Amino acid sequence: MVRESIPPIRIDRIELRRISLPLVTPFRTSFGTETARDILLVRVEADGVEGWGECVAGNEPLYSSEYVEACQHVTAHHLIPRLLGHDHGLVDADRVAEVLEPIKDHRMSKGALEAAVLDAQLRQHGLSMADRFGAVQNRVPSGVSVGIMDSIDQLVSAVGRYLDDGYVRIKLKIEPGWDLEPVAEIRRTFGDSVPLQVDANTAYTRHDGPHLARLDEFSLLLIEQPLPEDDVTGHALIARQVETPVCLDESITSAAAAVDAIERGACSIVNIKAGRVGGYLEAIRVHDVCAERGVPVWCGGMLETGIGRAMNLALAALPNFTLTGDVSASERFWARDIVDEPVRLQDGHVHVPTRPGSGVEVDRKFLDSVTTSTVEVGR
Ligand code: NPG
């Protein structure tokens, strides 16, 4: 698909803002429990408009090596100086990744900065992110990710509530000791027709193929990231031992990594998260290479506020997002969101924003009330 380019913008100032938001309920995965998020937001001021980007790194380096404090440091000291030093601050979102390329990794930080530039540039030209990305849907089905709980009874109640809310697909977090039993109980309680998948967040080993194959009887949509991120060959071994399709998340750090994993038979489905691959533009490339190879994708989530959630929706509306993603309603995680139009669930779907840029406006008063620090970096 040809996506038209738009004129660059001249950046006047970039603000790094940290906010603290408590989660409505603790969220436990195989790598840890989150009760509140310390979130880095990037605000770009350019030609009289502002653009926002959200960094999805967690408080600690548990999901990947990135974490919020390091993201702020690398953004302030390595990414922003390069961006502003290039062409006197005249920036095109399409070229941000290239300008930042000499800095190794730090994809979540790069993605947040690129998102802020893109948001400002699109607002400047009155274009929505969905249109810029090539979205083909105005709403997408909404799935929900359900954390590991203290008891199976608790899990059953939580899943029951989400199904009552209308979520059309359930993802259960699993780890050794919390896999066969919870999955069996959810199937027994809610039946075989509930679209169900599991996510291990790297918690298993290459020896666990026969154990994971015992999940096959539960007709799961997929099993996500059973092994550590760098074990692509191990995933190919597991994929041969289980009938349930293997999906990769942590391992897919770029479009090139997606091609490699697919060609090596390590996955037949890909979870796309913009932050994990260095930004929305690389995420679109991941989408495209998967589409070319007949590999379906779905949009993951990283406990984003309304800013990241709105952008995820624009991405999830692309044609090869044929599996239901993790873009759930804001209220699934936040008592109050920081934007004027939080994501809402309607008939099991969430709407793709249509206004310019991300399509959401930041609620400044509430944002200020949850802000813990602000740093300005000028041109
Ligand atoms: O809906 O935002 C959401 C959460 C979906 O389970 C979810 N995210 O491993 O995919 C994951 C997990 C995650 C959350 C990963 C936070 C990293 C940080």
Side-chain angles (χ1 to χ4, degrees), residues 27 29 31 34 37 56 58 63 108 143-146 171 173 199 201 224 249-250 271 273 298 300-304 309 312 326-328 332-333:
F27 187 65
T29 62
F31 60 80
E34 304 220 40
R37 292 280 276 179
V56 294
Y63 169 84
M108 294 177 183
V144 64
S145 173
V146 187
K171 164 168 129 177
K173 291 289 189 181
D199 182 5
N201 287 111
E224 188 179 352
D249 170 7
E250 284 90 332
N271 163 331
K273 291 175 178 167
W298 55 280
M302 301 273 286
L303 312 177
E304 290 91 346
R309 229 162 260 279
N312 286 348
D326 275 345
V327 193
S328 39
R332 152 76 182 92
F333 295 107

PDB file of all heavy atoms in Angstrom, residues 27 29 31 34 37 56 58 63 108 143-146 171 173 199 201 224 249-250 271 273 298 300-304 309 312 326-328 332-333, ligand 1:
ATOM      1  N   PHE A  27      -2.188  -6.051  38.112  1.00  0.00           N
ATOM      2  CA  PHE A  27      -2.089  -6.865  36.899  1.00  0.00           C
ATOM      3  C   PHE A  27      -0.852  -7.738  37.017  1.00  0.00           C
ATOM      4  O   PHE A  27       0.266  -7.251  37.016  1.00  0.00           O
ATOM      5  CB  PHE A  27      -2.004  -5.933  35.679  1.00  0.00           C
ATOM      6  CG  PHE A  27      -2.068  -6.649  34.358  1.00  0.00           C
ATOM      7  CD1 PHE A  27      -3.221  -7.325  33.981  1.00  0.00           C
ATOM      8  CD2 PHE A  27      -0.997  -6.640  33.490  1.00  0.00           C
ATOM      9  CE1 PHE A  27      -3.294  -7.990  32.758  1.00  0.00           C
ATOM     10  CE2 PHE A  27      -1.051  -7.300  32.263  1.00  0.00           C
ATOM     11  CZ  PHE A  27      -2.207  -7.976  31.892  1.00  0.00           C
ATOM     12  N   THR A  29       1.568 -10.832  35.708  1.00  0.00           N
ATOM     13  CA  THR A  29       1.994 -11.658  34.582  1.00  0.00           C
ATOM     14  C   THR A  29       3.101 -12.568  35.109  1.00  0.00           C
ATOM     15  O   THR A  29       3.494 -12.466  36.276  1.00  0.00           O
ATOM     16  CB  THR A  29       2.582 -10.786  33.452  1.00  0.00           C
ATOM     17  OG1 THR A  29       3.732 -10.121  33.976  1.00  0.00           O
ATOM     18  CG2 THR A  29       1.587  -9.755  32.965  1.00  0.00           C
ATOM     19  N   PHE A  31       6.056 -12.259  34.662  1.00  0.00           N
ATOM     20  CA  PHE A  31       7.273 -11.510  35.016  1.00  0.00           C
ATOM     21  C   PHE A  31       7.085 -10.528  36.166  1.00  0.00           C
ATOM     22  O   PHE A  31       8.046  -9.896  36.595  1.00  0.00           O
ATOM     23  CB  PHE A  31       7.869 -10.813  33.782  1.00  0.00           C
ATOM     24  CG  PHE A  31       6.968  -9.816  33.089  1.00  0.00           C
ATOM     25  CD1 PHE A  31       6.814  -8.543  33.591  1.00  0.00           C
ATOM     26  CD2 PHE A  31       6.295 -10.166  31.934  1.00  0.00           C
ATOM     27  CE1 PHE A  31       5.991  -7.618  32.952  1.00  0.00           C
ATOM     28  CE2 PHE A  31       5.470  -9.256  31.281  1.00  0.00           C
ATOM     29  CZ  PHE A  31       5.326  -7.975  31.795  1.00  0.00           C
ATOM     30  N   GLU A  34       1.964  -5.465  38.492  1.00  0.00           N
ATOM     31  CA  GLU A  34       1.941  -4.001  38.423  1.00  0.00           C
ATOM     32  C   GLU A  34       0.709  -3.494  39.161  1.00  0.00           C
ATOM     33  O   GLU A  34      -0.394  -4.004  38.956  1.00  0.00           O
ATOM     34  CB  GLU A  34       1.876  -3.538  36.969  1.00  0.00           C
ATOM     35  CG  GLU A  34       3.015  -4.095  36.143  1.00  0.00           C
ATOM     36  CD  GLU A  34       3.581  -3.086  35.170  1.00  0.00           C
ATOM     37  OE1 GLU A  34       3.721  -1.900  35.536  1.00  0.00           O
ATOM     38  OE2 GLU A  34       3.877  -3.495  34.044  1.00  0.00           O
ATOM     39  N   ARG A  37       1.309   2.619  37.280  1.00  0.00           N
ATOM     40  CA  ARG A  37       2.269   2.846  36.196  1.00  0.00           C
ATOM     41  C   ARG A  37       2.929   4.198  36.374  1.00  0.00           C
ATOM     42  O   ARG A  37       2.257   5.198  36.663  1.00  0.00           O
ATOM     43  CB  ARG A  37       1.569   2.855  34.834  1.00  0.00           C
ATOM     44  CG  ARG A  37       0.999   1.544  34.392  1.00  0.00           C
ATOM     45  CD  ARG A  37       1.994   0.577  33.812  1.00  0.00           C
ATOM     46  NE  ARG A  37       2.290   0.778  32.401  1.00  0.00           N
ATOM     47  CZ  ARG A  37       3.164   0.025  31.732  1.00  0.00           C
ATOM     48  NH1 ARG A  37       3.824  -0.934  32.344  1.00  0.00           N
ATOM     49  NH2 ARG A  37       3.397   0.236  30.459  1.00  0.00           N
ATOM     50  N   VAL A  56       5.939   3.076  26.398  1.00  0.00           N
ATOM     51  CA  VAL A  56       5.265   1.951  27.051  1.00  0.00           C
ATOM     52  C   VAL A  56       6.149   1.179  28.027  1.00  0.00           C
ATOM     53  O   VAL A  56       5.720   0.178  28.588  1.00  0.00           O
ATOM     54  CB  VAL A  56       4.685   0.971  26.001  1.00  0.00           C
ATOM     55  CG1 VAL A  56       3.569   1.624  25.210  1.00  0.00           C
ATOM     56  CG2 VAL A  56       5.775   0.439  25.076  1.00  0.00           C
ATOM     57  N   GLY A  58       7.925  -0.222  31.238  1.00  0.00           N
ATOM     58  CA  GLY A  58       7.412  -0.388  32.596  1.00  0.00           C
ATOM     59  C   GLY A  58       8.320   0.256  33.635  1.00  0.00           C
ATOM     60  O   GLY A  58       9.385   0.793  33.324  1.00  0.00           O
ATOM     61  N   TYR A  63       9.691  -6.835  31.378  1.00  0.00           N
ATOM     62  CA  TYR A  63       9.146  -7.313  30.090  1.00  0.00           C
ATOM     63  C   TYR A  63      10.259  -7.332  29.047  1.00  0.00           C
ATOM     64  O   TYR A  63      10.390  -8.264  28.264  1.00  0.00           O
ATOM     65  CB  TYR A  63       7.997  -6.391  29.662  1.00  0.00           C
ATOM     66  CG  TYR A  63       7.526  -6.598  28.241  1.00  0.00           C
ATOM     67  CD1 TYR A  63       6.597  -7.590  27.925  1.00  0.00           C
ATOM     68  CD2 TYR A  63       8.018  -5.801  27.204  1.00  0.00           C
ATOM     69  CE1 TYR A  63       6.174  -7.785  26.613  1.00  0.00           C
ATOM     70  CE2 TYR A  63       7.600  -5.990  25.899  1.00  0.00           C
ATOM     71  CZ  TYR A  63       6.676  -6.978  25.608  1.00  0.00           C
ATOM     72  OH  TYR A  63       6.269  -7.166  24.312  1.00  0.00           O
ATOM     73  N   MET A 108      11.392   1.423  22.628  1.00  0.00           N
ATOM     74  CA  MET A 108      10.212   2.057  23.240  1.00  0.00           C
ATOM     75  C   MET A 108      10.398   3.574  23.311  1.00  0.00           C
ATOM     76  O   MET A 108       9.466   4.343  23.100  1.00  0.00           O
ATOM     77  CB  MET A 108       9.955   1.483  24.627  1.00  0.00           C
ATOM     78  CG  MET A 108       9.552   0.016  24.572  1.00  0.00           C
ATOM     79  SD  MET A 108       9.333  -0.679  26.215  1.00  0.00           S
ATOM     80  CE  MET A 108       8.955  -2.379  25.786  1.00  0.00           C
ATOM     81  N   GLY A 143     -10.570  -7.402  22.711  1.00  0.00           N
ATOM     82  CA  GLY A 143     -10.260  -8.515  23.605  1.00  0.00           C
ATOM     83  C   GLY A 143      -9.711  -7.980  24.914  1.00  0.00           C
ATOM     84  O   GLY A 143      -9.353  -6.805  25.017  1.00  0.00           O
ATOM     85  N   VAL A 144      -9.642  -8.849  25.908  1.00  0.00           N
ATOM     86  CA  VAL A 144      -9.125  -8.411  27.203  1.00  0.00           C
ATOM     87  C   VAL A 144      -8.105  -9.416  27.713  1.00  0.00           C
ATOM     88  O   VAL A 144      -8.251 -10.625  27.516  1.00  0.00           O
ATOM     89  CB  VAL A 144     -10.282  -8.169  28.212  1.00  0.00           C
ATOM     90  CG1 VAL A 144     -11.021  -9.467  28.520  1.00  0.00           C
ATOM     91  CG2 VAL A 144      -9.785  -7.515  29.489  1.00  0.00           C
ATOM     92  N   SER A 145      -7.077  -8.883  28.324  1.00  0.00           N
ATOM     93  CA  SER A 145      -6.008  -9.703  28.868  1.00  0.00           C
ATOM     94  C   SER A 145      -6.245  -9.841  30.374  1.00  0.00           C
ATOM     95  O   SER A 145      -6.409  -8.836  31.068  1.00  0.00           O
ATOM     96  CB  SER A 145      -4.682  -9.008  28.585  1.00  0.00           C
ATOM     97  OG  SER A 145      -3.630  -9.680  29.221  1.00  0.00           O
ATOM     98  N   VAL A 146      -6.265 -11.076  30.863  1.00  0.00           N
ATOM     99  CA  VAL A 146      -6.601 -11.316  32.270  1.00  0.00           C
ATOM    100  C   VAL A 146      -5.375 -11.876  32.989  1.00  0.00           C
ATOM    101  O   VAL A 146      -4.833 -12.913  32.595  1.00  0.00           O
ATOM    102  CB  VAL A 146      -7.795 -12.301  32.381  1.00  0.00           C
ATOM    103  CG1 VAL A 146      -8.263 -12.408  33.821  1.00  0.00           C
ATOM    104  CG2 VAL A 146      -8.938 -11.872  31.473  1.00  0.00           C
ATOM    105  N   LYS A 171      -7.833 -13.359  26.877  1.00  0.00           N
ATOM    106  CA  LYS A 171      -6.443 -13.858  26.904  1.00  0.00           C
ATOM    107  C   LYS A 171      -6.085 -14.100  28.358  1.00  0.00           C
ATOM    108  O   LYS A 171      -6.228 -13.200  29.197  1.00  0.00           O
ATOM    109  CB  LYS A 171      -5.520 -12.821  26.271  1.00  0.00           C
ATOM    110  CG  LYS A 171      -4.043 -13.008  26.562  1.00  0.00           C
ATOM    111  CD  LYS A 171      -3.182 -12.129  25.664  1.00  0.00           C
ATOM    112  CE  LYS A 171      -2.184 -11.311  26.451  1.00  0.00           C
ATOM    113  NZ  LYS A 171      -1.300 -10.509  25.586  1.00  0.00           N
ATOM    114  N   LYS A 173      -3.191 -14.973  31.115  1.00  0.00           N
ATOM    115  CA  LYS A 173      -1.756 -15.025  31.368  1.00  0.00           C
ATOM    116  C   LYS A 173      -1.460 -16.373  32.016  1.00  0.00           C
ATOM    117  O   LYS A 173      -2.212 -16.795  32.922  1.00  0.00           O
ATOM    118  CB  LYS A 173      -1.368 -13.897  32.337  1.00  0.00           C
ATOM    119  CG  LYS A 173      -1.502 -12.524  31.703  1.00  0.00           C
ATOM    120  CD  LYS A 173      -0.426 -12.345  30.672  1.00  0.00           C
ATOM    121  CE  LYS A 173      -0.365 -10.927  30.168  1.00  0.00           C
ATOM    122  NZ  LYS A 173       0.681 -10.762  29.152  1.00  0.00           N
ATOM    123  N   ASP A 199      -1.038 -16.448  27.170  1.00  0.00           N
ATOM    124  CA  ASP A 199       0.207 -15.697  27.000  1.00  0.00           C
ATOM    125  C   ASP A 199       1.167 -16.044  28.129  1.00  0.00           C
ATOM    126  O   ASP A 199       0.863 -15.825  29.305  1.00  0.00           O
ATOM    127  CB  ASP A 199      -0.108 -14.189  27.028  1.00  0.00           C
ATOM    128  CG  ASP A 199       1.133 -13.334  26.809  1.00  0.00           C
ATOM    129  OD1 ASP A 199       2.210 -13.897  26.542  1.00  0.00           O
ATOM    130  OD2 ASP A 199       1.008 -12.097  26.908  1.00  0.00           O
ATOM    131  N   ASN A 201       4.514 -14.985  28.283  1.00  0.00           N
ATOM    132  CA  ASN A 201       5.562 -13.986  28.538  1.00  0.00           C
ATOM    133  C   ASN A 201       6.915 -14.633  28.878  1.00  0.00           C
ATOM    134  O   ASN A 201       7.527 -14.314  29.904  1.00  0.00           O
ATOM    135  CB  ASN A 201       5.159 -13.020  29.660  1.00  0.00           C
ATOM    136  CG  ASN A 201       4.092 -12.033  29.244  1.00  0.00           C
ATOM    137  OD1 ASN A 201       2.960 -12.115  29.721  1.00  0.00           O
ATOM    138  ND2 ASN A 201       4.410 -11.113  28.351  1.00  0.00           N
ATOM    139  N   GLU A 224       0.998 -17.668  23.223  1.00  0.00           N
ATOM    140  CA  GLU A 224       1.889 -16.550  22.937  1.00  0.00           C
ATOM    141  C   GLU A 224       3.183 -16.655  23.738  1.00  0.00           C
ATOM    142  O   GLU A 224       3.156 -16.883  24.948  1.00  0.00           O
ATOM    143  CB  GLU A 224       1.131 -15.265  23.316  1.00  0.00           C
ATOM    144  CG  GLU A 224       1.808 -13.984  22.924  1.00  0.00           C
ATOM    145  CD  GLU A 224       0.968 -12.767  23.309  1.00  0.00           C
ATOM    146  OE1 GLU A 224      -0.194 -12.916  23.742  1.00  0.00           O
ATOM    147  OE2 GLU A 224       1.502 -11.650  23.181  1.00  0.00           O
ATOM    148  N   ASP A 249       5.547 -12.433  20.534  1.00  0.00           N
ATOM    149  CA  ASP A 249       5.408 -11.042  20.983  1.00  0.00           C
ATOM    150  C   ASP A 249       6.823 -10.514  21.233  1.00  0.00           C
ATOM    151  O   ASP A 249       7.439  -9.902  20.345  1.00  0.00           O
ATOM    152  CB  ASP A 249       4.542 -11.021  22.252  1.00  0.00           C
ATOM    153  CG  ASP A 249       4.509  -9.682  22.971  1.00  0.00           C
ATOM    154  OD1 ASP A 249       5.045  -8.701  22.438  1.00  0.00           O
ATOM    155  OD2 ASP A 249       3.953  -9.595  24.089  1.00  0.00           O
ATOM    156  N   GLU A 250       7.391 -10.814  22.391  1.00  0.00           N
ATOM    157  CA  GLU A 250       8.698 -10.268  22.786  1.00  0.00           C
ATOM    158  C   GLU A 250       9.788 -10.482  21.727  1.00  0.00           C
ATOM    159  O   GLU A 250      10.679  -9.647  21.578  1.00  0.00           O
ATOM    160  CB  GLU A 250       9.152 -10.886  24.121  1.00  0.00           C
ATOM    161  CG  GLU A 250       8.453 -10.335  25.369  1.00  0.00           C
ATOM    162  CD  GLU A 250       7.193 -11.101  25.750  1.00  0.00           C
ATOM    163  OE1 GLU A 250       6.529 -11.685  24.855  1.00  0.00           O
ATOM    164  OE2 GLU A 250       6.849 -11.116  26.952  1.00  0.00           O
ATOM    165  N   ASN A 271       1.970 -10.932  17.257  1.00  0.00           N
ATOM    166  CA  ASN A 271       1.403  -9.861  18.071  1.00  0.00           C
ATOM    167  C   ASN A 271       2.214  -8.603  17.725  1.00  0.00           C
ATOM    168  O   ASN A 271       3.443  -8.635  17.767  1.00  0.00           O
ATOM    169  CB  ASN A 271       1.560 -10.241  19.559  1.00  0.00           C
ATOM    170  CG  ASN A 271       1.397  -9.062  20.521  1.00  0.00           C
ATOM    171  OD1 ASN A 271       1.679  -7.913  20.187  1.00  0.00           O
ATOM    172  ND2 ASN A 271       0.985  -9.343  21.737  1.00  0.00           N
ATOM    173  N   LYS A 273       3.111  -4.735  18.664  1.00  0.00           N
ATOM    174  CA  LYS A 273       3.065  -3.617  19.618  1.00  0.00           C
ATOM    175  C   LYS A 273       4.045  -2.581  19.091  1.00  0.00           C
ATOM    176  O   LYS A 273       5.230  -2.890  18.907  1.00  0.00           O
ATOM    177  CB  LYS A 273       3.547  -4.059  20.999  1.00  0.00           C
ATOM    178  CG  LYS A 273       2.622  -5.009  21.728  1.00  0.00           C
ATOM    179  CD  LYS A 273       3.298  -5.454  23.004  1.00  0.00           C
ATOM    180  CE  LYS A 273       2.396  -6.379  23.808  1.00  0.00           C
ATOM    181  NZ  LYS A 273       3.162  -7.060  24.875  1.00  0.00           N
ATOM    182  N   TRP A 298      -2.297  -9.409  15.303  1.00  0.00           N
ATOM    183  CA  TRP A 298      -3.249  -8.730  16.184  1.00  0.00           C
ATOM    184  C   TRP A 298      -2.479  -7.702  16.995  1.00  0.00           C
ATOM    185  O   TRP A 298      -1.258  -7.759  17.110  1.00  0.00           O
ATOM    186  CB  TRP A 298      -4.007  -9.725  17.065  1.00  0.00           C
ATOM    187  CG  TRP A 298      -3.166 -10.636  17.897  1.00  0.00           C
ATOM    188  CD1 TRP A 298      -2.533 -11.778  17.482  1.00  0.00           C
ATOM    189  CD2 TRP A 298      -2.865 -10.502  19.299  1.00  0.00           C
ATOM    190  NE1 TRP A 298      -1.869 -12.354  18.543  1.00  0.00           N
ATOM    191  CE2 TRP A 298      -2.049 -11.597  19.662  1.00  0.00           C
ATOM    192  CE3 TRP A 298      -3.219  -9.570  20.279  1.00  0.00           C
ATOM    193  CZ2 TRP A 298      -1.584 -11.785  20.951  1.00  0.00           C
ATOM    194  CZ3 TRP A 298      -2.756  -9.758  21.568  1.00  0.00           C
ATOM    195  CH2 TRP A 298      -1.948 -10.853  21.884  1.00  0.00           C
ATOM    196  N   GLY A 300      -1.273  -5.885  20.215  1.00  0.00           N
ATOM    197  CA  GLY A 300      -1.071  -6.091  21.641  1.00  0.00           C
ATOM    198  C   GLY A 300      -1.287  -4.797  22.408  1.00  0.00           C
ATOM    199  O   GLY A 300      -1.519  -3.730  21.819  1.00  0.00           O
ATOM    200  N   GLY A 301      -1.182  -4.875  23.719  1.00  0.00           N
ATOM    201  CA  GLY A 301      -1.348  -3.687  24.559  1.00  0.00           C
ATOM    202  C   GLY A 301      -0.281  -3.676  25.622  1.00  0.00           C
ATOM    203  O   GLY A 301       0.259  -4.728  25.987  1.00  0.00           O
ATOM    204  N   MET A 302       0.061  -2.499  26.099  1.00  0.00           N
ATOM    205  CA  MET A 302       1.084  -2.359  27.142  1.00  0.00           C
ATOM    206  C   MET A 302       0.548  -1.435  28.228  1.00  0.00           C
ATOM    207  O   MET A 302       1.253  -0.532  28.675  1.00  0.00           O
ATOM    208  CB  MET A 302       2.367  -1.782  26.543  1.00  0.00           C
ATOM    209  CG  MET A 302       2.959  -2.625  25.430  1.00  0.00           C
ATOM    210  SD  MET A 302       4.046  -3.913  26.015  1.00  0.00           S
ATOM    211  CE  MET A 302       5.451  -2.966  26.472  1.00  0.00           C
ATOM    212  N   LEU A 303      -0.700  -1.663  28.626  1.00  0.00           N
ATOM    213  CA  LEU A 303      -1.309  -0.867  29.694  1.00  0.00           C
ATOM    214  C   LEU A 303      -1.229   0.629  29.374  1.00  0.00           C
ATOM    215  O   LEU A 303      -0.923   1.437  30.255  1.00  0.00           O
ATOM    216  CB  LEU A 303      -0.633  -1.150  31.046  1.00  0.00           C
ATOM    217  CG  LEU A 303      -0.416  -2.611  31.436  1.00  0.00           C
ATOM    218  CD1 LEU A 303       0.327  -2.702  32.773  1.00  0.00           C
ATOM    219  CD2 LEU A 303      -1.727  -3.363  31.557  1.00  0.00           C
ATOM    220  N   GLU A 304      -1.533   0.992  28.135  1.00  0.00           N
ATOM    221  CA  GLU A 304      -1.417   2.385  27.725  1.00  0.00           C
ATOM    222  C   GLU A 304      -2.541   3.258  28.283  1.00  0.00           C
ATOM    223  O   GLU A 304      -3.642   2.781  28.545  1.00  0.00           O
ATOM    224  CB  GLU A 304      -1.470   2.506  26.190  1.00  0.00           C
ATOM    225  CG  GLU A 304      -0.264   1.980  25.449  1.00  0.00           C
ATOM    226  CD  GLU A 304      -0.385   0.514  25.041  1.00  0.00           C
ATOM    227  OE1 GLU A 304      -1.285  -0.189  25.549  1.00  0.00           O
ATOM    228  OE2 GLU A 304       0.425   0.081  24.205  1.00  0.00           O
ATOM    229  N   ARG A 309      -3.512   4.196  23.507  1.00  0.00           N
ATOM    230  CA  ARG A 309      -4.665   3.373  23.138  1.00  0.00           C
ATOM    231  C   ARG A 309      -5.281   3.870  21.823  1.00  0.00           C
ATOM    232  O   ARG A 309      -5.645   3.081  20.947  1.00  0.00           O
ATOM    233  CB  ARG A 309      -5.699   3.482  24.261  1.00  0.00           C
ATOM    234  CG  ARG A 309      -6.270   2.193  24.762  1.00  0.00           C
ATOM    235  CD  ARG A 309      -6.905   2.401  26.129  1.00  0.00           C
ATOM    236  NE  ARG A 309      -5.960   1.927  27.107  1.00  0.00           N
ATOM    237  CZ  ARG A 309      -5.803   0.643  27.441  1.00  0.00           C
ATOM    238  NH1 ARG A 309      -6.604  -0.271  26.942  1.00  0.00           N
ATOM    239  NH2 ARG A 309      -4.882   0.275  28.285  1.00  0.00           N
ATOM    240  N   ASN A 312      -3.031   2.870  19.051  1.00  0.00           N
ATOM    241  CA  ASN A 312      -3.141   1.425  18.812  1.00  0.00           C
ATOM    242  C   ASN A 312      -4.376   1.105  17.974  1.00  0.00           C
ATOM    243  O   ASN A 312      -4.369   0.184  17.156  1.00  0.00           O
ATOM    244  CB  ASN A 312      -3.224   0.662  20.141  1.00  0.00           C
ATOM    245  CG  ASN A 312      -1.887   0.608  20.853  1.00  0.00           C
ATOM    246  OD1 ASN A 312      -0.850   0.932  20.270  1.00  0.00           O
ATOM    247  ND2 ASN A 312      -1.894   0.212  22.117  1.00  0.00           N
ATOM    248  N   ASP A 326      -5.698  -6.780  21.949  1.00  0.00           N
ATOM    249  CA  ASP A 326      -5.803  -6.448  23.379  1.00  0.00           C
ATOM    250  C   ASP A 326      -6.204  -4.987  23.606  1.00  0.00           C
ATOM    251  O   ASP A 326      -5.951  -4.458  24.688  1.00  0.00           O
ATOM    252  CB  ASP A 326      -4.442  -6.667  24.059  1.00  0.00           C
ATOM    253  CG  ASP A 326      -4.226  -8.116  24.499  1.00  0.00           C
ATOM    254  OD1 ASP A 326      -5.207  -8.875  24.544  1.00  0.00           O
ATOM    255  OD2 ASP A 326      -3.071  -8.471  24.793  1.00  0.00           O
ATOM    256  N   VAL A 327      -6.760  -4.306  22.602  1.00  0.00           N
ATOM    257  CA  VAL A 327      -7.124  -2.908  22.848  1.00  0.00           C
ATOM    258  C   VAL A 327      -8.485  -2.881  23.547  1.00  0.00           C
ATOM    259  O   VAL A 327      -9.533  -2.896  22.912  1.00  0.00           O
ATOM    260  CB  VAL A 327      -7.162  -2.051  21.561  1.00  0.00           C
ATOM    261  CG1 VAL A 327      -7.225  -0.577  21.933  1.00  0.00           C
ATOM    262  CG2 VAL A 327      -5.946  -2.323  20.696  1.00  0.00           C
ATOM    263  N   SER A 328      -8.419  -2.879  24.875  1.00  0.00           N
ATOM    264  CA  SER A 328      -9.658  -2.889  25.645  1.00  0.00           C
ATOM    265  C   SER A 328     -10.008  -1.464  26.072  1.00  0.00           C
ATOM    266  O   SER A 328      -9.266  -0.517  25.801  1.00  0.00           O
ATOM    267  CB  SER A 328      -9.525  -3.833  26.834  1.00  0.00           C
ATOM    268  OG  SER A 328      -8.245  -3.752  27.397  1.00  0.00           O
ATOM    269  N   ARG A 332     -10.833  -0.590  31.818  1.00  0.00           N
ATOM    270  CA  ARG A 332     -10.277  -1.898  32.205  1.00  0.00           C
ATOM    271  C   ARG A 332      -9.057  -1.698  33.119  1.00  0.00           C
ATOM    272  O   ARG A 332      -8.769  -2.503  33.981  1.00  0.00           O
ATOM    273  CB  ARG A 332      -9.904  -2.674  30.932  1.00  0.00           C
ATOM    274  CG  ARG A 332      -8.779  -3.697  31.038  1.00  0.00           C
ATOM    275  CD  ARG A 332      -9.208  -4.976  31.737  1.00  0.00           C
ATOM    276  NE  ARG A 332      -8.167  -5.971  31.900  1.00  0.00           N
ATOM    277  CZ  ARG A 332      -7.375  -6.084  32.963  1.00  0.00           C
ATOM    278  NH1 ARG A 332      -7.451  -5.209  33.950  1.00  0.00           N
ATOM    279  NH2 ARG A 332      -6.508  -7.072  33.051  1.00  0.00           N
ATOM    280  N   PHE A 333      -8.320  -0.578  32.872  1.00  0.00           N
ATOM    281  CA  PHE A 333      -7.103  -0.326  33.647  1.00  0.00           C
ATOM    282  C   PHE A 333      -7.146   0.935  34.507  1.00  0.00           C
ATOM    283  O   PHE A 333      -6.500   0.987  35.544  1.00  0.00           O
ATOM    284  CB  PHE A 333      -5.884  -0.234  32.705  1.00  0.00           C
ATOM    285  CG  PHE A 333      -5.585  -1.531  32.010  1.00  0.00           C
ATOM    286  CD1 PHE A 333      -5.848  -1.701  30.663  1.00  0.00           C
ATOM    287  CD2 PHE A 333      -5.072  -2.608  32.724  1.00  0.00           C
ATOM    288  CE1 PHE A 333      -5.595  -2.919  30.036  1.00  0.00           C
ATOM    289  CE2 PHE A 333      -4.816  -3.823  32.109  1.00  0.00           C
ATOM    290  CZ  PHE A 333      -5.079  -3.975  30.761  1.00  0.00           C
TER     291      PHE A 333
HETATM  292  O1  NPG B   1      -4.470  -4.526  27.357  1.00  0.00           O
HETATM  293  O2  NPG B   1      -2.850  -3.128  27.589  1.00  0.00           O
HETATM  294  C1  NPG B   1      -3.345  -4.239  27.743  1.00  0.00           C
HETATM  295  C2  NPG B   1      -2.524  -5.298  28.418  1.00  0.00           C
HETATM  296  C3  NPG B   1      -2.310  -6.477  27.539  1.00  0.00           C
HETATM  297  O3  NPG B   1      -1.435  -8.409  28.580  1.00  0.00           O
HETATM  298  C4  NPG B   1      -1.212  -7.340  28.089  1.00  0.00           C
HETATM  299  N1  NPG B   1       0.005  -6.844  27.989  1.00  0.00           N
HETATM  300  O4  NPG B   1       2.637  -9.167  27.715  1.00  0.00           O
HETATM  301  O5  NPG B   1       1.217  -8.435  26.315  1.00  0.00           O
HETATM  302  C5  NPG B   1       1.720  -8.419  27.428  1.00  0.00           C
HETATM  303  C6  NPG B   1       1.163  -7.504  28.500  1.00  0.00           C
HETATM  304  C7  NPG B   1       2.100  -6.449  28.989  1.00  0.00           C
HETATM  305  C8  NPG B   1       1.645  -5.479  29.814  1.00  0.00           C
HETATM  306  C9  NPG B   1       3.403  -6.406  28.630  1.00  0.00           C
HETATM  307  C10 NPG B   1       2.473  -4.481  30.293  1.00  0.00           C
HETATM  308  C11 NPG B   1       4.222  -5.416  29.093  1.00  0.00           C
HETATM  309  C12 NPG B   1       3.766  -4.461  29.931  1.00  0.00           C
END
